Amino acid sequence: GYYAIRLQEPNVFVELTASKRVGFHRYTFGADEKKGMLRIDLKQGTGWDQVKQSSIKLESPTLVTGNRYSKGWAASQHLFCAAEFSTPVKIKKQVGDTIMVLTIADVSKPVMVKCALSAVSVEDAKANLKAELPGWDFKATVAEANKAWNDELGKIAVDTEDDEVRTIFYTALYHTMIAPSVFSDVTGNYRGADGKVYKGDFTNYTTFSLWDTYRAAHPLMSLIHPEKQKD
């Protein structure tokens, strides 16, 4: 639920956390940095992912929205986003519909960005943002993410005096929980495998690895995540 790294060029301390559907960034610029810029690149992908269509625009001084349609490991991938900034930004450079470079007005204090995702629409991405992270309390969001993981990992209690065994067990248990991913929006909308949009009264998931997961992962989920297994 929390990751941090210090960049050297430029001098920026980067911190990242998240809720289920919203990524929360905090950038602290060094005292020697007089201006700040941020590059959004919708063309960049992993593996053989290729962008077929995209768009990006500055809706207001503090809101960027966009969408990305690509093909790769999956034949049809739709992604929509809404990113809200804690301070006004301006467009310095834009390359087509995939790359936007923003200048940040004030880097004297930490710059925060909340980026919500949706597989349905920009409006649903905005709804996810409003519902899950309406405020700007970064520390509280980190604490909530930490609690969420502890609640899940706490479904199994290990009684051992061997710290190494305990670490190995909970690391393995953590790995069983990084997928599947929540795919439906707070509105209940989700994109089906047929590419159409539906509304459901359950949580829709994606990123299924069906490679032998029936042997151990799904039996385990039946025991510790019955509500997820049902959905």
Side-chain angles (χ1 to χ4, degrees), residues 9-216:
E9 284 292 336
N11 179 14
V12 183
F13 184 54
V14 179
E15 297 173 279
L16 307 172
T17 188
S19 62
K20 281 185 181 179
R21 302 171 178 86
V22 187
F24 199 178
H25 308 199
R26 182 164 68 179
Y27 303 112
T28 303
F29 289 79
D32 55 335
E33 298 295 337
K34 295 180 174 60
K35 63 180 181 179
M37 290 188 291
L38 190 145
R39 172 187 167 107
I40 301 173
D41 187 347
L42 299 182
K43 189 176 183 180
Q44 177 66 36
T46 58
W48 55 94
D49 179 81
Q50 288 187 334
V51 177
K52 297 300 180 181
Q53 185 274 327
S54 65
S55 68
I56 185 171
K57 68 176 180 178
L58 186 64
E59 284 198 13
S60 77
T62 57
L63 181 66
V64 173
T65 58
N67 76 283
R68 186 181 192 273
Y69 170 62
S70 67
K71 292 177 181 262
W73 179 79
S76 178
Q77 301 172 124
H78 295 267
L79 186 68
F80 300 85
C81 66
E84 185 179 4
F85 291 77
S86 61
T87 187
V89 296
K90 292 182 179 180
I91 298 175
K92 179 180 177 64
K93 180 182 179 181
Q94 185 162 350
V95 182
D97 295 320
T98 58
I99 297 173
M100 179 181 285
V101 178
L102 301 170
T103 56
I104 301 168
D106 183 10
V107 294
S108 64
K109 56 181 179 294
V111 175
M112 293 183 284
V113 187
K114 298 182 293 188
C115 185
L117 300 179
S118 167
V120 173
S121 67
V122 167
E123 290 307 311
D124 266 29
K126 290 179 180 178
N128 291 338
L129 180 63
K130 184 177 180 181
E132 291 193 357
L133 280 180
W136 293 94
D137 194 332
F138 190 87
K139 192 171 184 178
T141 306
V142 172
E144 288 171 8
N146 191 51
K147 182 181 182 302
W149 272 110
N150 279 331
D151 287 345
E152 294 300 305
L153 295 171
K155 289 180 177 179
I156 298 180
V158 174
D159 184 13
T160 177
E161 295 180 359
D162 190 329
D163 289 340
E164 184 177 4
V165 168
R166 184 184 295 105
T167 299
I168 290 172
F169 176 82
Y170 283 112
T171 300
L173 188 61
Y174 165 80
H175 286 150
T176 71
M177 297 180 184
I178 59 176
S181 310
V182 172
F183 200 48
S184 52
D185 298 322
V186 294
T187 58
N189 296 333
Y190 67 93
R191 188 175 296 276
D194 59 1
K196 298 177 182 179
V197 175
Y198 297 92
K199 192 178 187 71
D201 58 356
F202 62 96
T203 301
N204 183 262
Y205 292 95
T206 189
T207 328
F208 285 101
S209 171
L210 301 179
W211 197 286
D212 283 357
T213 51
Y214 67 89
R215 296 178 186 272

